[in-house]
Amino acid sequence: MSSISALHAQLTSGTKAVITTHFNPDSDAIGSSLAWQNYLNQLGLEVSVIVPSAVSANLTWMPGAEQILNFEDTLHRVQIEALLKGAAFIFCLDFSGMQRLHGLSHPIKAARGIKVVIDHHLNPEDFGDYYYHRITAASTCELIFDLIQEWGDDACINEEMGSCLYSGIMTDTGSFRHPNTTAHVHEVVAQLIQKGVNTNAIHRKIFDSASLDRLRFLGHVLANRLDYLPEYHLSLMWITEEDQKQYNSQAGDTEGIVNYGLQIAGAIWAILLIQRPDGIKLSFRSIEPFAVNEFASKYFEGGGHKNASGGRFSSSSIEGAKEKLQEVLPLYLSEINRVKNL
Ligand code: 5GP
Ligand code: MN
């Protein structure tokens, strides 16, 4: 592993590069990728952004989003494979483990380009040649901002790039309310506003752009797919494949739903089970000081941040996943009782 400062001089005009990010890319993943692409383009590199699954509709307004190549789209796949062969650099943004690339992990592993990891997740795997990694950063967008500053290129941060960066910072901090919202986060945002970023317009584009189906879907989940388990201070939610079909659920439509569980007085954590053809996807959220990443990695092949983690259950039975939870929840009772009184 080499120091990231040695990288800057290698980013020369005409160099080919690829940027990639995690499955179900969120606003931080897409925002950081497009901002980094914009910067590298200004340095004269030829850069493509490739993603393992579709970009959700509320992010397609970001400048450059229309050029993103999706590995799940068979028409894009041939192009992606050729780009990976020709790339001198592969930038891996907003993920710390290869399994988060799903089907794209094999082609990325096989690619010969120098791998540069820019990320803020815990326990990064050792797959990169260069790392710019800080778990105290609230978002990868914040890291992109910091790195460009460190390299003395503040002038490259234009309004378009700033809008992408603001999106990731805003969403990964839960609109500046999660405990990861440091003074530095606000300092970065202040500088982005000075560069002309319209924070109000971006908030509306990301959060107030739902379809009627999506709003009714949320209503259905809150009314019929939410239990509160008071002894565990846990909100448990689930979404079936049938629910997703009935409400015409699109990429990104389940994003953020798990957070509603934390609005119940007394709730310390919330879990959302989403039924997918290949298994159940789990989302975990918690309030300080309860850590869900350990629970996610111990019992559900996952991990993530202290207060926001993900995982999976290998069968696609919601009942099966609930049974597994009923088995392991009692093991957490003493920890829950310890933190609820803090
Ligand atoms: P979400 O519930 O939004 O899918 O994920 C919440 C957080 O947990 C995200 O920051 C994501 O990066 C992380 N995360 C989700 N799934 C996994 C996983 O399987 N492994 C790890 N290490 N982190 C995950
Ligand atoms: Mn992130």
Side-chain angles (χ1 to χ4, degrees), residues 143-188:
L143 290 172
I144 296 288
F145 182 91
D146 289 344
L147 182 56
I148 294 174
Q149 298 288 330
E150 264 176 52
W151 285 351
D153 282 338
D154 174 64
C156 291
I157 303 180
N158 52 37
E159 191 229 316
E160 280 197 346
M161 199 199 284
S163 298
C164 297
L165 294 177
Y166 181 76
S167 303
I169 296 171
M170 177 185 74
T171 54
D172 266 26
T173 56
S175 299
F176 310 98
R177 72 184 189 276
H178 295 333
N180 60 3
T181 313
T182 58
H184 182 62
V185 164
H186 285 290
E187 281 159 8
V188 170

Side-chain angles (χ1 to χ4, degrees), residues 22 26 28-29 94 119-121 138-141 168 172 305:
H22 60 80
D26 58 7
D28 189 32
D94 201 38
D119 177 52
H120 66 130
H121 291 90
S139 63
T140 300
C141 283
D172 266 26
H305 310 283

